[in-house]
Amino acid sequence: SVLHALITELAASVGVQAILVCATPEARSFWLRQGYHTLAHCPPALATELRAVIKSGVMSDPFRETVRMAQALPRAGEPGALVASTLRAVASRSASSQSSHGLSSAEAARALGYEDL
């Protein structure tokens, strides 16, 4: 999600208004967690744009099992604000995950004898 925040912030800063992806069934839940929606669940203006792109053939679907998904991007705001808020969210998830499961990932690795080379 941090990488996605970086990409989103960079795209918004250069004037990109939406990101379109072709999601496999395995990746669909990832894109949903990032805020993307299928055509049926997109806001009307974004759905209209997505239909136009699909009709133009620019976003051809080489894999028949993929689903097109889109997300409207926020207007460029304070540089780094989106990434900073994403980092805070990740940190809070990590803290709650650690407290509910007892061990952080580093502690679990040490307990199992894992050594990063």
Side-chain angles (χ1 to χ4, degrees):
S1 64
V2 175
L3 177 60
H4 183 263
L6 285 167
I7 293 168
T8 300
E9 192 162 300
L10 177 63
S13 71
V14 296
V16 174
Q17 295 177 354
I19 296 178
L20 309 173
V21 298
C22 287
T24 62
E26 298 83 8
R28 195 173 306 151
S29 64
F30 168 79
W31 292 112
L32 283 169
R33 285 191 309 272
Q34 302 308 315
Y36 288 74
H37 299 286
T38 60
L39 181 63
H41 299 290
C42 283
L46 184 57
T48 301
E49 291 297 321
L50 183 54
R51 281 188 198 95
V53 169
I54 291 168
K55 187 176 181 179
S56 73
V58 171
M59 192 176 180
S60 62
D61 187 5
F63 306 103
R64 296 292 174 223
E65 64 275 0
T66 60
V67 174
R68 292 175 183 97
M69 301 178 80
Q71 178 187 44
L73 296 182
R75 292 187 179 193
E78 181 72 27
L82 182 59
V83 173
S85 68
T86 301
L87 288 172
R88 283 191 299 275
V90 168
S92 70
R93 282 197 309 256
S94 296
S96 67
S97 173
Q98 179 180 349
S99 65
S100 65
H101 298 296
L103 292 177
S104 69
S105 58
E107 291 168 334
R110 279 192 298 276
L112 296 172
Y114 174 80
E115 187 175 326
D116 196 11
L117 300 176

